Amino acid sequence: MNEKIRVDNLTFYYGDKPAIKNISLSVREHSVLALIGPSGCGKSTFLRCLNRMNDIIPNTRMEGDILIDNESITGHRYDITGLRRRVGMVFQKSNPFPKSIYENIAYGLRINGIRNRYEIESIVEQSLKSTALWDEVKDRLNESAMGLSGGQQQRLCIARTIAVKPEIILMDEPASALDPISTQKIEELIQDLKEKYTIVIVTHNMQQAARVSDYTAFFYIGDLIELNSTDVIFTKPDLEMTENYITGKFG
Amino acid sequence: MATHFEQELENVTIKIFKMADLAIEAVTKSVEALKAADMNLAKKVIEQDTALDVLEKEIDEECIRILVTRQPAAVFLRLVLVILKSNTDLERIGDLSSNIAKECIRLSGKPAMKALVDIPRMASIAVEMIKDAFAAISEKDADKAREVIKRDDEIDELNLQVYRELFSYMIENPYIVSQALGLIMVAKSLERIGDHVTNIAERSIYYIEGKDIRHGSNE
């Protein structure tokens, strides 16, 4: 399988303080990489570097390089809007637009230049189907998305993300505010989505990392401690530090 | 201070070591009873097998509870797995010792064919293997576990020797066929005990190194 993302010696500063230090790793296409580690270890910062979401935070600086499909995305002139279309993101708190369910998905399509109504309708339906939401909302597409349950809202946000056909999906604790059944649906979804997308997910729930990911990266105070196949991380990690973290001995 | 979780692991670990002690006692006493034609001791071995059965169920229940409630990972997961698996092997060692004791009772009253040499040797190797397998677990010493696995060959060799010897006895004297077959059964039970200890030692290597070395893989 191909290398989809490559990160070389990435350091990211908030002011003078590095939040992540000299991180190098690569992510294979159509795989799920989980980022784990205690709060403040830099995993969310790292995630946000991958679609340059940190650019909007003042007084920050990035060193090193990030390549997607062997092309650097860190240049000043790089088309960030185009990047974010390719690299979609789902947040911890679902954030649907205060519009109808239909519009939540159609909006992104229109600003991406899709005008044909039938095409939009078809993509809305496909996206809702692939997030297993279609049957639950097909009779009320024109109702406000704010009336959906938390789990449905989160799946709508994922539907909205995949509607514009990204290549990579970043997820920042996508299920941490959801009940177990909604969580299970999101996890099922992640496993279905990896057939088409490359996924990087931050999670505090280690069982979730074990269930959904192919590779797991353990971060600690800005350092990448260990990146290994998820099976290895959760049965016999190479480093004692990783073992201590996943067995709850610290963190 | 140990967390509640660590305390739970500690409790179930203590139980599996207790079970290992009981298994050692069962193997030792069953062969002692056979050697000394001691019916009372043989009966005791059979009675005490219940303790192993009870512990087996308790350990299973505790491991299941830990798996469900704690979802252990890494070294803790491997520890629970080695306990869960060894549990079955130890219970079987208890059953095989009972079989030896039953054979001892069946053979009672019949004239001794010959002094027992190889069978007690098999038993003492088996007992050392159990001790070392559990020492390997508590000391996290994978080399010790590998030694245990190698020693199983000695038991296998002795089993063949016993078989060959008793086979020639039976040809010479058909009146002792029943006794000789009894002793062959005993040797076979000890050979099976060696296999169960080997399983435990293999599992302990998985616990210590995370490697599955069964069936010649990974080594």
Side-chain angles (χ1 to χ4, degrees), chain A residues 20-50:
Chain A
I20 48 174
K21 298 171 238 168
N22 208 23
I23 306 281
S24 298
L25 58 80
S26 66
V27 187
R28 288 166 110 184
E29 193 170 21
H30 303 308
S31 72
V32 180
L33 169 69
L35 310 177
I36 61 168
S39 297
C41 69
K43 54 194 188 303
S44 292
T45 300
F46 177 81
L47 192 74
R48 287 198 306 269
C49 286
L50 299 178

Side-chain angles (χ1 to χ4, degrees), chain A residues 207 234-236 243 247 249, chain B residues 71 73-76 78 209:
Chain A
Q207 299 308 319
F234 287 94
T235 56
K236 181 72 173 91
E243 178 133 329
T247 53
K249 286 179 189 161
Chain B
Q71 293 147 11
V75 65
F76 292 160
R78 301 195 312 272
E209 297 183 340

Side-chain angles (χ1 to χ4, degrees), chain B residues 152-170:
Chain B
D152 188 44
D153 293 343
E154 291 177 43
I155 294 197
D156 291 349
E157 190 51 47
L158 282 167
N159 178 42
L160 279 176
Q161 203 168 300
V162 168
Y163 178 80
R164 280 192 299 260
E165 195 182 355
L166 290 168
F167 192 71
S168 57
Y169 273 55
M170 287 191 283

